[in-house]
Protein backbone atom coordinates (compact mmCIF):
# COMPACT_ATOMS: atom_id res chain seq x y z
CA UNK A 1 0.00 0.00 0.00
CA UNK A 2 1.26 3.50 0.79
CA UNK A 3 2.18 2.97 4.45
CA UNK A 4 5.71 4.37 4.22
CA UNK A 5 4.66 7.94 3.36
CA UNK A 6 2.12 10.33 4.87
CA UNK A 7 -1.32 10.97 3.43
CA UNK A 8 -0.49 14.40 1.97
CA UNK A 9 2.56 13.00 0.19
CA UNK A 10 0.53 10.08 -1.22
CA UNK A 11 -1.89 12.55 -2.81
CA UNK A 12 0.91 14.78 -4.12
CA UNK A 13 2.82 11.85 -5.65
CA UNK A 14 -0.38 10.70 -7.37
CA UNK A 15 -0.84 14.16 -8.90
CA UNK A 16 -3.95 14.98 -6.85
CA UNK A 17 -4.32 18.67 -6.04
CA UNK A 18 -4.39 18.88 -2.26
CA UNK A 19 -7.55 20.31 -0.67
CA UNK A 20 -8.86 19.91 2.88
CA UNK A 21 -11.79 17.76 1.71
CA UNK A 22 -9.65 15.49 -0.47
CA UNK A 23 -7.23 14.96 2.40
CA UNK A 24 -10.10 14.28 4.82
CA UNK A 25 -11.67 11.76 2.44
CA UNK A 26 -8.35 10.03 1.67
CA UNK A 27 -7.47 9.75 5.38
CA UNK A 28 -10.88 8.25 6.15
CA UNK A 29 -10.54 5.77 3.31
CA UNK A 30 -6.95 4.82 3.98
CA UNK A 31 -7.33 4.42 7.72
CA UNK A 32 -11.02 3.53 7.96
CA UNK A 33 -11.58 0.74 5.45
CA UNK A 34 -9.61 -2.49 5.24
CA UNK A 35 -11.87 -3.90 2.50
CA UNK A 36 -14.06 -2.61 -0.32
CA UNK A 37 -16.51 0.18 0.51
CA UNK A 38 -19.34 2.01 -1.21
CA UNK A 39 -20.21 5.70 -1.48
CA UNK A 40 -22.88 5.07 1.19
CA UNK A 41 -20.24 3.57 3.52
CA UNK A 42 -18.09 6.67 3.09
CA UNK A 43 -21.11 8.95 3.62
CA UNK A 44 -21.76 7.30 6.98
CA UNK A 45 -18.19 8.07 8.07
CA UNK A 46 -18.33 11.67 6.80
CA UNK A 47 -21.93 12.88 7.28
CA UNK A 48 -20.92 16.56 7.06
CA UNK A 49 -19.55 16.21 3.50
CA UNK A 50 -22.21 16.23 0.79
CA UNK A 51 -22.68 13.20 -1.46
CA UNK A 52 -21.69 14.91 -4.72
CA UNK A 53 -18.39 16.10 -3.20
CA UNK A 54 -17.65 12.59 -1.96
CA UNK A 55 -18.46 11.11 -5.37
CA UNK A 56 -16.25 13.64 -7.19
CA UNK A 57 -13.41 12.95 -4.75
CA UNK A 58 -13.75 9.17 -5.24
CA UNK A 59 -13.58 9.73 -9.00
CA UNK A 60 -10.44 11.88 -8.65
CA UNK A 61 -8.77 9.27 -6.42
CA UNK A 62 -9.69 6.48 -8.84
CA UNK A 63 -8.40 8.48 -11.83
CA UNK A 64 -5.12 8.96 -9.90
CA UNK A 65 -4.89 5.17 -9.37
CA UNK A 66 -5.16 5.46 -5.59
CA UNK A 67 -8.47 3.57 -5.68
CA UNK A 68 -9.92 1.01 -8.02
CA UNK A 69 -13.58 0.31 -8.59
CA UNK A 70 -15.09 -3.13 -8.43
CA UNK A 71 -18.51 -4.38 -9.43
CA UNK A 72 -19.38 -7.12 -6.97
CA UNK A 73 -22.90 -7.63 -8.31
CA UNK A 74 -24.51 -5.97 -5.28
CA UNK A 75 -25.87 -3.09 -7.37
CA UNK A 76 -23.64 -0.64 -5.53
CA UNK A 77 -20.26 0.40 -6.94
CA UNK A 78 -17.47 -0.47 -4.51
CA UNK A 79 -14.01 1.03 -4.15
CA UNK A 80 -10.74 -0.43 -2.84
CA UNK A 81 -7.40 1.15 -2.04
CA UNK A 82 -4.90 0.26 -4.76
CA UNK A 83 -1.77 -1.66 -3.94
CA UNK A 84 0.72 -0.33 -6.47
CA UNK A 85 3.60 -1.99 -8.24
CA UNK A 86 6.89 -0.20 -8.98
CA UNK A 87 5.40 1.46 -12.07
CA UNK A 88 2.43 2.87 -10.06
CA UNK A 89 -0.04 0.43 -11.60
CA UNK A 90 -2.68 -1.07 -9.36
CA UNK A 91 -2.00 -4.74 -8.67
CA UNK A 92 -5.18 -6.66 -9.35
CA UNK A 93 -6.48 -8.87 -6.59
CA UNK A 94 -9.41 -11.17 -5.93
CA UNK A 95 -12.55 -9.90 -4.19
CA UNK A 96 -14.81 -12.09 -2.06
CA UNK A 97 -18.43 -10.92 -1.83
CA UNK A 98 -20.72 -12.27 0.86
CA UNK A 99 -24.19 -13.15 -0.43
CA UNK A 100 -25.60 -12.60 3.06
CA UNK A 101 -24.32 -9.21 4.25
CA UNK A 102 -23.11 -7.98 0.81
CA UNK A 103 -19.69 -6.95 2.15
CA UNK A 104 -16.83 -7.30 -0.28
CA UNK A 105 -13.48 -8.37 1.11
CA UNK A 106 -10.19 -7.61 -0.66
CA UNK A 107 -7.92 -10.62 -0.86
CA UNK A 108 -4.84 -8.52 -1.58
CA UNK A 109 -2.46 -11.47 -1.38
CA UNK A 110 -4.44 -13.43 -4.01
CA UNK A 111 -3.69 -12.11 -7.49
CA UNK A 112 -6.03 -12.47 -10.45
CA UNK A 113 -4.96 -15.52 -12.46
CA UNK A 114 -3.82 -15.11 -16.03
CA UNK A 115 -6.48 -16.01 -18.59
CA UNK A 116 -5.62 -16.98 -22.18
CA UNK A 117 -7.43 -14.57 -24.50
CA UNK A 118 -8.13 -14.63 -28.23
CA UNK A 119 -5.44 -13.07 -30.38
CA UNK A 120 -5.80 -9.32 -30.81
CA UNK A 121 -7.92 -8.84 -27.69
CA UNK A 122 -6.75 -5.79 -25.73
CA UNK A 123 -7.57 -5.94 -21.99
CA UNK A 124 -8.39 -2.66 -20.25
CA UNK A 125 -9.28 -4.02 -16.83
CA UNK A 126 -9.87 -7.31 -15.09
CA UNK A 127 -12.11 -8.15 -12.15
CA UNK A 128 -12.29 -11.39 -10.22
CA UNK A 129 -15.13 -11.74 -7.73
CA UNK A 130 -15.81 -14.90 -5.74
CA UNK A 131 -19.26 -15.08 -4.13
CA UNK A 132 -20.15 -17.02 -1.02
CA UNK A 133 -20.88 -16.50 2.68
CA UNK A 134 -18.57 -14.87 5.20
CA UNK A 135 -18.12 -16.74 8.52
CA UNK A 136 -20.80 -14.64 10.30
CA UNK A 137 -23.41 -15.10 7.58
CA UNK A 138 -22.52 -18.76 7.14
CA UNK A 139 -23.34 -19.40 10.81
CA UNK A 140 -26.66 -17.56 10.45
CA UNK A 141 -27.40 -19.36 7.19
CA UNK A 142 -26.74 -22.78 8.76
CA UNK A 143 -28.78 -21.95 11.89
CA UNK A 144 -31.87 -21.29 9.73
CA UNK A 145 -31.72 -24.79 8.25
Amino acid sequence: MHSDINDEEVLRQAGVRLTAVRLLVWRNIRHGFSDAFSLADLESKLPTVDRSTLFRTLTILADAHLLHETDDGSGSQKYCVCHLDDTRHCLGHVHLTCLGCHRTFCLTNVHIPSVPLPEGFDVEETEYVVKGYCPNCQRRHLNRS
Side-chain angles (χ1 to χ4, degrees):
M1 199 180 346
H2 314 276
S3 56
D4 54 336
I5 55 178
N6 72 38
D7 295 319
E8 291 179 22
E9 191 58 29
V10 169
L11 294 176
R12 279 192 194 97
Q13 285 184 9
V16 174
R17 189 172 57 83
L18 202 57
T19 67
V21 170
R22 289 175 187 167
L23 184 57
L24 175 70
V25 169
W26 176 244
R27 281 184 175 150
N28 273 271
I29 291 169
R30 188 172 176 196
H31 305 288
F33 296 106
S34 58
D35 290 305
F37 63 93
S38 67
L39 175 59
D41 295 330
L42 187 58
E43 278 182 295
S44 69
K45 284 193 173 288
L46 297 170
T48 60
V49 181
D50 72 55
R51 183 180 183 88
S52 62
T53 299
L54 292 175
F55 180 75
R56 280 193 310 274
T57 303
L58 289 172
T59 301
I60 288 166
L61 295 174
D63 288 347
H65 305 289
L66 293 173
L67 299 177
H68 65 271
E69 299 175 38
T70 188
D71 181 356
D72 61 5
S74 67
S76 176
Q77 187 67 41
K78 301 277 179 76
Y79 301 87
C80 306
V81 173
C82 282
H83 298 268
L84 304 174
D85 66 12
D86 293 338
T87 63
R88 292 203 37 82
H89 285 96
C90 191
L91 296 170
H93 59 264
V94 173
H95 295 99
L96 176 60
T97 298
C98 178
L99 296 169
C101 64
H102 304 288
R103 283 189 57 204
T104 297
F105 302 88
C106 295
L107 304 178
T108 56
N109 59 345
V110 180
H111 297 288
I112 296 172
S114 179
V115 177
L117 300 171
E119 188 177 325
F121 194 88
D122 185 26
V123 176
E124 288 294 317
E125 66 181 64
T126 304
E127 288 192 51
Y128 197 103
V129 178
V130 177
K131 297 180 182 183
Y133 290 94
C134 71
N136 289 337
C137 291
Q138 189 173 26
R139 281 190 290 276
R140 285 192 295 256
H141 188 70
L142 290 175
N143 288 338
R144 281 188 265 159
S145 302

